[in-house]
Amino acid sequence: MTCHCSGASAHLFNKFFKNQHGGCQHSLDAIWLRNKLKIIVPNICICICTRNRQKELLKLLDSLSKIQIPSDSNIRIIVVENDLEPYSEQTVSQFSSQCKIEVNYFLETRRGISFARNRSVKEARLTDFCCFVDDDQIVTKNWLVELLKCQKEFNADGVWGPNPPIFSSFVPPYVIQFHSH
């Protein structure tokens, strides 16, 4: 039987039923499916898009190395450099060798944030959640725990929270005011 499910749950759906029942079962109630999926350890990819900003990227990666990781999840960091040259590859490689979280680096030569984000989702493959964070930000220790808590509490397909950028040079006041709300 061929499965024609779509959306973020389709990968989990197919993985669970191929392993347990040998195929897709469209007659299942969506609530029952969501409850069953909760027993699976979620795979989470933290996706970062960057472009030749090694200092800022390193600050972000350092903050990610200190986050609380829920015991019931698998975490991976994906860094996609959106440039023609792999400027940040060495920075990511050095960080990766000392980090307890798996870190993968990819170069996306088609310019534009949409290409970089789509590449990070492509490289995340069969993940359950993609968490996007910009290379000019740092995260708090409980950032991921709070995102997952919100997702579980509201059974949300997507969650968002404020994470203001860290500015390393002069920034016009109107930009700072925009990010302070």
Side-chain angles (χ1 to χ4, degrees), residues 40-58:
I40 297 173
V41 174
N43 292 310
I44 301 166
C45 283
I46 299 170
C47 300
I48 305 165
C49 299
T50 191
R51 182 165 183 247
N52 195 12
R53 292 166 43 141
Q54 295 83 11
K55 268 195 216 175
E56 292 87 351
L57 178 61
L58 193 54

PDB file of all heavy atoms in Angstrom, residues 40-58:
ATOM      1  N   ILE A  40       7.576   8.241  20.604  1.00  0.00           N
ATOM      2  CA  ILE A  40       8.805   8.206  19.822  1.00  0.00           C
ATOM      3  C   ILE A  40       9.714   9.331  20.295  1.00  0.00           C
ATOM      4  O   ILE A  40       9.281  10.448  20.506  1.00  0.00           O
ATOM      5  CB  ILE A  40       8.501   8.365  18.317  1.00  0.00           C
ATOM      6  CG1 ILE A  40       7.648   7.197  17.844  1.00  0.00           C
ATOM      7  CG2 ILE A  40       9.786   8.464  17.509  1.00  0.00           C
ATOM      8  CD1 ILE A  40       7.150   7.344  16.429  1.00  0.00           C
ATOM      9  N   VAL A  41      10.989   9.046  20.467  1.00  0.00           N
ATOM     10  CA  VAL A  41      11.957  10.056  20.865  1.00  0.00           C
ATOM     11  C   VAL A  41      12.108  11.047  19.705  1.00  0.00           C
ATOM     12  O   VAL A  41      12.468  10.646  18.595  1.00  0.00           O
ATOM     13  CB  VAL A  41      13.321   9.410  21.197  1.00  0.00           C
ATOM     14  CG1 VAL A  41      14.369  10.469  21.462  1.00  0.00           C
ATOM     15  CG2 VAL A  41      13.185   8.456  22.368  1.00  0.00           C
ATOM     16  N   PRO A  42      11.807  12.332  19.940  1.00  0.00           N
ATOM     17  CA  PRO A  42      11.869  13.278  18.825  1.00  0.00           C
ATOM     18  C   PRO A  42      13.300  13.582  18.389  1.00  0.00           C
ATOM     19  O   PRO A  42      14.207  13.698  19.212  1.00  0.00           O
ATOM     20  CB  PRO A  42      11.195  14.531  19.387  1.00  0.00           C
ATOM     21  CG  PRO A  42      11.296  14.418  20.854  1.00  0.00           C
ATOM     22  CD  PRO A  42      11.339  12.954  21.168  1.00  0.00           C
ATOM     23  N   ASN A  43      13.475  13.672  17.094  1.00  0.00           N
ATOM     24  CA  ASN A  43      14.737  14.106  16.508  1.00  0.00           C
ATOM     25  C   ASN A  43      14.591  15.585  16.191  1.00  0.00           C
ATOM     26  O   ASN A  43      13.650  15.982  15.498  1.00  0.00           O
ATOM     27  CB  ASN A  43      15.036  13.328  15.222  1.00  0.00           C
ATOM     28  CG  ASN A  43      15.336  11.886  15.509  1.00  0.00           C
ATOM     29  OD1 ASN A  43      16.152  11.574  16.365  1.00  0.00           O
ATOM     30  ND2 ASN A  43      14.668  10.993  14.804  1.00  0.00           N
ATOM     31  N   ILE A  44      15.517  16.391  16.693  1.00  0.00           N
ATOM     32  CA  ILE A  44      15.429  17.835  16.541  1.00  0.00           C
ATOM     33  C   ILE A  44      16.691  18.341  15.872  1.00  0.00           C
ATOM     34  O   ILE A  44      17.799  18.029  16.300  1.00  0.00           O
ATOM     35  CB  ILE A  44      15.254  18.510  17.914  1.00  0.00           C
ATOM     36  CG1 ILE A  44      13.986  17.982  18.585  1.00  0.00           C
ATOM     37  CG2 ILE A  44      15.232  20.024  17.777  1.00  0.00           C
ATOM     38  CD1 ILE A  44      13.884  18.308  20.046  1.00  0.00           C
ATOM     39  N   CYS A  45      16.511  19.141  14.825  1.00  0.00           N
ATOM     40  CA  CYS A  45      17.642  19.782  14.161  1.00  0.00           C
ATOM     41  C   CYS A  45      17.572  21.276  14.434  1.00  0.00           C
ATOM     42  O   CYS A  45      16.535  21.905  14.210  1.00  0.00           O
ATOM     43  CB  CYS A  45      17.619  19.540  12.657  1.00  0.00           C
ATOM     44  SG  CYS A  45      18.182  17.907  12.206  1.00  0.00           S
ATOM     45  N   ILE A  46      18.655  21.810  14.927  1.00  0.00           N
ATOM     46  CA  ILE A  46      18.782  23.251  15.093  1.00  0.00           C
ATOM     47  C   ILE A  46      19.468  23.756  13.835  1.00  0.00           C
ATOM     48  O   ILE A  46      20.610  23.380  13.547  1.00  0.00           O
ATOM     49  CB  ILE A  46      19.594  23.585  16.356  1.00  0.00           C
ATOM     50  CG1 ILE A  46      18.869  23.035  17.589  1.00  0.00           C
ATOM     51  CG2 ILE A  46      19.817  25.089  16.455  1.00  0.00           C
ATOM     52  CD1 ILE A  46      19.675  23.100  18.865  1.00  0.00           C
ATOM     53  N   CYS A  47      18.752  24.553  13.065  1.00  0.00           N
ATOM     54  CA  CYS A  47      19.223  24.998  11.752  1.00  0.00           C
ATOM     55  C   CYS A  47      19.722  26.437  11.816  1.00  0.00           C
ATOM     56  O   CYS A  47      19.000  27.327  12.264  1.00  0.00           O
ATOM     57  CB  CYS A  47      18.099  24.884  10.731  1.00  0.00           C
ATOM     58  SG  CYS A  47      17.461  23.210  10.533  1.00  0.00           S
ATOM     59  N   ILE A  48      20.940  26.630  11.344  1.00  0.00           N
ATOM     60  CA  ILE A  48      21.571  27.948  11.342  1.00  0.00           C
ATOM     61  C   ILE A  48      22.003  28.269   9.916  1.00  0.00           C
ATOM     62  O   ILE A  48      22.709  27.478   9.288  1.00  0.00           O
ATOM     63  CB  ILE A  48      22.825  27.966  12.236  1.00  0.00           C
ATOM     64  CG1 ILE A  48      22.488  27.505  13.654  1.00  0.00           C
ATOM     65  CG2 ILE A  48      23.470  29.349  12.232  1.00  0.00           C
ATOM     66  CD1 ILE A  48      23.715  27.154  14.486  1.00  0.00           C
ATOM     67  N   CYS A  49      21.594  29.424   9.436  1.00  0.00           N
ATOM     68  CA  CYS A  49      22.068  29.907   8.142  1.00  0.00           C
ATOM     69  C   CYS A  49      23.052  31.039   8.422  1.00  0.00           C
ATOM     70  O   CYS A  49      22.797  31.903   9.265  1.00  0.00           O
ATOM     71  CB  CYS A  49      20.912  30.411   7.297  1.00  0.00           C
ATOM     72  SG  CYS A  49      19.696  29.124   6.934  1.00  0.00           S
ATOM     73  N   THR A  50      24.171  31.021   7.720  1.00  0.00           N
ATOM     74  CA  THR A  50      25.209  32.021   7.951  1.00  0.00           C
ATOM     75  C   THR A  50      25.822  32.441   6.631  1.00  0.00           C
ATOM     76  O   THR A  50      25.647  31.766   5.608  1.00  0.00           O
ATOM     77  CB  THR A  50      26.291  31.480   8.920  1.00  0.00           C
ATOM     78  OG1 THR A  50      27.146  32.545   9.314  1.00  0.00           O
ATOM     79  CG2 THR A  50      27.087  30.341   8.303  1.00  0.00           C
ATOM     80  N   ARG A  51      26.546  33.552   6.667  1.00  0.00           N
ATOM     81  CA  ARG A  51      27.274  33.999   5.482  1.00  0.00           C
ATOM     82  C   ARG A  51      28.503  34.785   5.926  1.00  0.00           C
ATOM     83  O   ARG A  51      28.414  35.964   6.228  1.00  0.00           O
ATOM     84  CB  ARG A  51      26.395  34.867   4.588  1.00  0.00           C
ATOM     85  CG  ARG A  51      27.124  35.288   3.334  1.00  0.00           C
ATOM     86  CD  ARG A  51      26.185  35.841   2.282  1.00  0.00           C
ATOM     87  NE  ARG A  51      26.952  36.148   1.105  1.00  0.00           N
ATOM     88  CZ  ARG A  51      27.139  37.391   0.651  1.00  0.00           C
ATOM     89  NH1 ARG A  51      26.574  38.411   1.260  1.00  0.00           N
ATOM     90  NH2 ARG A  51      27.857  37.584  -0.425  1.00  0.00           N
ATOM     91  N   ASN A  52      29.627  34.084   6.006  1.00  0.00           N
ATOM     92  CA  ASN A  52      30.924  34.690   6.303  1.00  0.00           C
ATOM     93  C   ASN A  52      30.885  35.558   7.571  1.00  0.00           C
ATOM     94  O   ASN A  52      31.340  36.690   7.565  1.00  0.00           O
ATOM     95  CB  ASN A  52      31.410  35.513   5.100  1.00  0.00           C
ATOM     96  CG  ASN A  52      32.882  35.849   5.210  1.00  0.00           C
ATOM     97  OD1 ASN A  52      33.599  35.308   6.046  1.00  0.00           O
ATOM     98  ND2 ASN A  52      33.337  36.754   4.369  1.00  0.00           N
ATOM     99  N   ARG A  53      30.331  35.005   8.638  1.00  0.00           N
ATOM    100  CA  ARG A  53      30.263  35.713   9.924  1.00  0.00           C
ATOM    101  C   ARG A  53      30.743  34.779  11.028  1.00  0.00           C
ATOM    102  O   ARG A  53      29.992  34.388  11.908  1.00  0.00           O
ATOM    103  CB  ARG A  53      28.833  36.185  10.178  1.00  0.00           C
ATOM    104  CG  ARG A  53      28.427  37.277   9.214  1.00  0.00           C
ATOM    105  CD  ARG A  53      26.966  37.576   9.164  1.00  0.00           C
ATOM    106  NE  ARG A  53      26.269  37.638  10.415  1.00  0.00           N
ATOM    107  CZ  ARG A  53      25.321  38.511  10.687  1.00  0.00           C
ATOM    108  NH1 ARG A  53      24.993  39.427   9.793  1.00  0.00           N
ATOM    109  NH2 ARG A  53      24.670  38.467  11.815  1.00  0.00           N
ATOM    110  N   GLN A  54      32.007  34.424  10.968  1.00  0.00           N
ATOM    111  CA  GLN A  54      32.556  33.431  11.872  1.00  0.00           C
ATOM    112  C   GLN A  54      32.456  33.837  13.342  1.00  0.00           C
ATOM    113  O   GLN A  54      32.148  33.003  14.191  1.00  0.00           O
ATOM    114  CB  GLN A  54      34.021  33.116  11.521  1.00  0.00           C
ATOM    115  CG  GLN A  54      34.214  32.463  10.185  1.00  0.00           C
ATOM    116  CD  GLN A  54      34.250  33.452   9.031  1.00  0.00           C
ATOM    117  OE1 GLN A  54      34.335  34.649   9.215  1.00  0.00           O
ATOM    118  NE2 GLN A  54      34.170  32.934   7.818  1.00  0.00           N
ATOM    119  N   LYS A  55      32.746  35.107  13.666  1.00  0.00           N
ATOM    120  CA  LYS A  55      32.697  35.543  15.069  1.00  0.00           C
ATOM    121  C   LYS A  55      31.302  35.382  15.649  1.00  0.00           C
ATOM    122  O   LYS A  55      31.136  34.833  16.734  1.00  0.00           O
ATOM    123  CB  LYS A  55      33.116  37.013  15.184  1.00  0.00           C
ATOM    124  CG  LYS A  55      34.566  37.232  15.429  1.00  0.00           C
ATOM    125  CD  LYS A  55      34.739  38.670  15.883  1.00  0.00           C
ATOM    126  CE  LYS A  55      36.008  39.262  15.349  1.00  0.00           C
ATOM    127  NZ  LYS A  55      36.126  40.677  15.680  1.00  0.00           N
ATOM    128  N   GLU A  56      30.317  35.877  14.927  1.00  0.00           N
ATOM    129  CA  GLU A  56      28.935  35.793  15.398  1.00  0.00           C
ATOM    130  C   GLU A  56      28.483  34.338  15.484  1.00  0.00           C
ATOM    131  O   GLU A  56      27.826  33.929  16.442  1.00  0.00           O
ATOM    132  CB  GLU A  56      27.999  36.595  14.481  1.00  0.00           C
ATOM    133  CG  GLU A  56      28.213  38.092  14.536  1.00  0.00           C
ATOM    134  CD  GLU A  56      29.294  38.583  13.579  1.00  0.00           C
ATOM    135  OE1 GLU A  56      30.009  37.754  12.974  1.00  0.00           O
ATOM    136  OE2 GLU A  56      29.436  39.813  13.457  1.00  0.00           O
ATOM    137  N   LEU A  57      28.832  33.562  14.469  1.00  0.00           N
ATOM    138  CA  LEU A  57      28.462  32.151  14.442  1.00  0.00           C
ATOM    139  C   LEU A  57      29.063  31.407  15.631  1.00  0.00           C
ATOM    140  O   LEU A  57      28.381  30.602  16.272  1.00  0.00           O
ATOM    141  CB  LEU A  57      28.920  31.504  13.128  1.00  0.00           C
ATOM    142  CG  LEU A  57      28.653  30.010  12.975  1.00  0.00           C
ATOM    143  CD1 LEU A  57      27.161  29.706  13.048  1.00  0.00           C
ATOM    144  CD2 LEU A  57      29.240  29.515  11.659  1.00  0.00           C
ATOM    145  N   LEU A  58      30.303  31.683  15.941  1.00  0.00           N
ATOM    146  CA  LEU A  58      30.954  31.017  17.063  1.00  0.00           C
ATOM    147  C   LEU A  58      30.267  31.352  18.395  1.00  0.00           C
ATOM    148  O   LEU A  58      30.107  30.487  19.253  1.00  0.00           O
ATOM    149  CB  LEU A  58      32.437  31.363  17.118  1.00  0.00           C
ATOM    150  CG  LEU A  58      33.291  30.504  18.031  1.00  0.00           C
ATOM    151  CD1 LEU A  58      33.137  29.020  17.717  1.00  0.00           C
ATOM    152  CD2 LEU A  58      34.742  30.917  17.932  1.00  0.00           C
TER     153      LEU A  58
END
